[in-house]
């Protein structure tokens, strides 16, 4: 194997390396019965991170402007609490946060299509811990989504 080929497979990620070796993994979400593109397909990481950034900015603004009046560790702690409450309430009722709605995303339960408040609570707790959200499966779902049996899809 050429060094350039080895580095290229490392840079493109394990999925590309496995597919290059001849394995057919299908498209993201195929195992879940989701389409490859368009509405109902798995949300891409860029959109998901964008929605998270919008939600975090909104929560930070609320914490800074309405609660602490200054930006520091206290405002960050309040922002995390506000983010948790926002996530539980909005995902548990309508299936999306303001950032997700703005970027055309929705959280759905794999069985019923709408996440229950209990699943939204579990998902939000794990999301606030951050580490489960950084561990993804081959479909692009974070560990927090796998454990809550939810998936983030495009609207």
């Amino acid at each position: 194997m050429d060094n350039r080929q080895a580095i290229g497979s490392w840079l493109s990620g394990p999925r590309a390396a496995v597919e290059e070796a001849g394995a057919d993994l299908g498209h993201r979400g195929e195992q879940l019965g989701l389409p490859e593109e368009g509405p109902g397909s798995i949300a891409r990481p860029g959109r998901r991170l964008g929605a998270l950034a919008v939600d975090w900015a909104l929560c930070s603004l609320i914490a800074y402007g309405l609660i602490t009046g200054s930006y520091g560790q206290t405002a960050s702690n309040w922002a995390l609490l506000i983010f948790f409450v926002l996530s539980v309430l909005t995902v548990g009722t309508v299936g999306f946060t303001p950032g997700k709605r703005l970027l055309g995303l929705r959280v759905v339960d794999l069985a019923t299509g709408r996440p229950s408040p209990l699943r939204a609570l579990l998902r939000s707790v794990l999301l606030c811990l951050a580490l489960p959200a950084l561990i993804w499966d081959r479909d692009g779902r974070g560990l927090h989504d796998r454990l809550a049996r939810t998936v983030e899809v495009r609207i």
Side-chain angles (χ1 to χ4, degrees):
M1 177 181 282
D2 185 3
N3 283 340
R4 291 175 296 190
Q5 187 180 8
I7 290 173
S9 68
W10 177 76
L11 289 175
S12 58
R15 182 182 180 95
V18 169
E19 287 176 344
E20 187 177 299
D24 181 24
L25 298 178
H27 66 270
R28 295 180 193 272
E30 185 174 6
Q31 291 180 326
L32 305 171
L34 300 176
E36 185 173 2
E37 294 292 325
S41 64
I42 295 269
R44 298 288 183 209
R47 268 193 194 191
R48 292 169 57 179
L49 289 173
L52 180 64
V54 169
D55 290 334
W56 184 256
L58 177 66
C59 294
S60 294
L61 188 64
I62 291 169
Y64 171 76
L66 298 178
I67 299 174
T68 65
S70 65
Y71 193 76
Q73 185 62 40
T74 306
S76 294
N77 292 340
W78 277 104
L80 183 62
L81 179 65
I82 293 167
F83 177 79
F84 173 74
V85 171
L86 174 81
S87 181
V88 169
L89 292 178
T90 57
V91 171
T93 55
V94 293
F96 48 79
T97 62
K100 288 182 190 352
R101 181 66 182 133
L102 183 67
L103 292 173
L105 303 176
R106 183 181 188 98
V107 177
V108 295
D109 186 325
L110 289 173
T112 63
R114 172 172 253 172
S116 68
L118 188 58
R119 289 195 194 280
L121 176 69
L122 174 63
R123 184 181 189 278
S124 299
V125 166
L126 293 170
L127 184 59
C128 287
L129 291 176
L131 186 61
L134 297 174
I135 301 170
W136 292 7
D137 65 5
R138 73 185 226 185
D139 288 319
R141 288 193 314 161
L143 185 59
H144 64 296
D145 276 327
R146 284 189 61 108
L147 292 175
R149 286 187 250 140
T150 58
V151 64
E152 203 165 337
V153 297
R154 295 173 52 193
I155 296 177

